[in-house]
Amino acid sequence: ADGTPSSRLQAIVTGRDLAPVFGDQPVAILGDIRRAANVRDLRDLNQRARSFTLRCLTSAASFDWLARFTSLVDAGILKRLVALIEAEALPACWCFCGPAGRTESLTRVTPWPVMILEDHHDATLTLSVQQRMLDALGECGYLPNVESPFEPRFYAATVSEWKSRFVTWVRDPILQQMYRARPLFDLRAVGGRQSLWQAVAT
């Protein structure tokens, strides 16, 4: 009330209160993504993040940090969706490939989720979870990824199957049409059991 610590408290002002005046803060957006209660909140946060990116993309010098920011946004949304669609118990590592795997995705094109599963896992349950994830990403405001060279179910496989695929592509790149799989060579772990991704990468 009078500026001294012993006087009566009038109000508590936080960064969230100041954001409408000074503009969005990237750290605040990322924090809100981690605490989002539902897919609708994630859609609004995704829109805020992309609007912030467009406002700040004023020169080539800003590309690197904005690409890093949107990469963290995409990863945060996917990890939050894993919890919201109740897929945390799935023995899998969630990854991105292509531009999202290289942390170069500034647009709202869907960062295609890749699943590396433990061996001997039930494929039926996996495909159901994968479809729920794709549907949820669409609800989050992402645009469909029309450049995917494989069917959706191809992107969910066991660690042994992924190892076999990469070995086959590298040993016989022409006959095995390795050019179609180039986005998968930018595979980047985002969440879940990262030891599965490490096994494939090694």
Side-chain angles (χ1 to χ4, degrees), residues 88-94 116 118 189 191-198:
E88 292 174 301
L90 195 67
C93 178
W94 293 88
I116 304 174
E118 287 185 351
R193 305 186 183 187
Q194 297 203 14
S195 59
L196 297 174
W197 169 84
Q198 187 61 55

Side-chain angles (χ1 to χ4, degrees), residues 149-183:
F150 302 104
E151 292 295 319
R153 66 177 56 203
F154 182 87
Y155 294 92
T158 64
V159 63
S160 294
E161 189 170 354
W162 280 115
K163 286 180 181 180
S164 176
R165 289 173 178 177
F166 279 104
V167 168
T168 301
W169 286 324
V170 171
R171 285 181 176 170
D172 192 358
I174 304 300
L175 293 181
Q176 297 301 323
Q177 299 180 322
M178 177 179 164
Y179 70 92
R180 299 178 64 213
R182 280 190 304 172

Side-chain angles (χ1 to χ4, degrees), residues 25-76:
Q25 299 294 318
V27 174
I29 294 174
L30 293 171
D32 288 345
I33 287 173
R34 288 192 296 269
R35 295 184 292 271
N38 51 54
V39 176
R40 185 177 59 254
D41 290 347
L42 286 175
R43 183 187 62 229
D44 295 342
L45 288 163
N46 194 16
Q47 180 61 46
R48 279 175 55 192
R50 260 54 198 197
S51 297
F52 174 84
T53 300
L54 287 175
R55 288 197 307 272
C56 295
L57 191 60
T58 55
S59 68
S62 61
F63 175 84
D64 287 341
W65 76 267
L66 285 172
R68 176 65 177 155
F69 168 63
T70 54
S71 173
L72 291 171
V73 167
D74 292 339

Side-chain angles (χ1 to χ4, degrees), residues 73-122:
V73 167
D74 292 339
I77 288 175
L78 184 135
K79 286 191 279 191
R80 188 62 189 135
L81 285 176
V82 168
L84 292 176
I85 67 174
E86 300 179 347
E88 292 174 301
L90 195 67
C93 178
W94 293 88
C95 305
F96 286 151
C97 65
R102 298 189 301 271
T103 66
E104 295 177 357
S105 180
L106 293 179
T107 65
R108 286 193 299 127
V109 174
T110 302
W112 198 271
V114 176
M115 297 170 66
I116 304 174
L117 296 136
E118 287 185 351
D119 290 329
H120 313 300
H121 183 70
D122 183 5

Side-chain angles (χ1 to χ4, degrees), residues 121-170:
H121 183 70
D122 183 5
T124 305
L125 175 61
T126 300
L127 293 176
S128 172
V129 170
Q130 183 191 36
Q131 189 57 54
R132 292 206 308 273
M133 175 60 75
L134 290 173
D135 292 342
L137 286 170
E139 292 176 32
C140 285
Y142 286 103
L143 302 174
N145 190 335
V146 296
E147 297 182 358
S148 175
F150 302 104
E151 292 295 319
R153 66 177 56 203
F154 182 87
Y155 294 92
T158 64
V159 63
S160 294
E161 189 170 354
W162 280 115
K163 286 180 181 180
S164 176
R165 289 173 178 177
F166 279 104
V167 168
T168 301
W169 286 324
V170 171

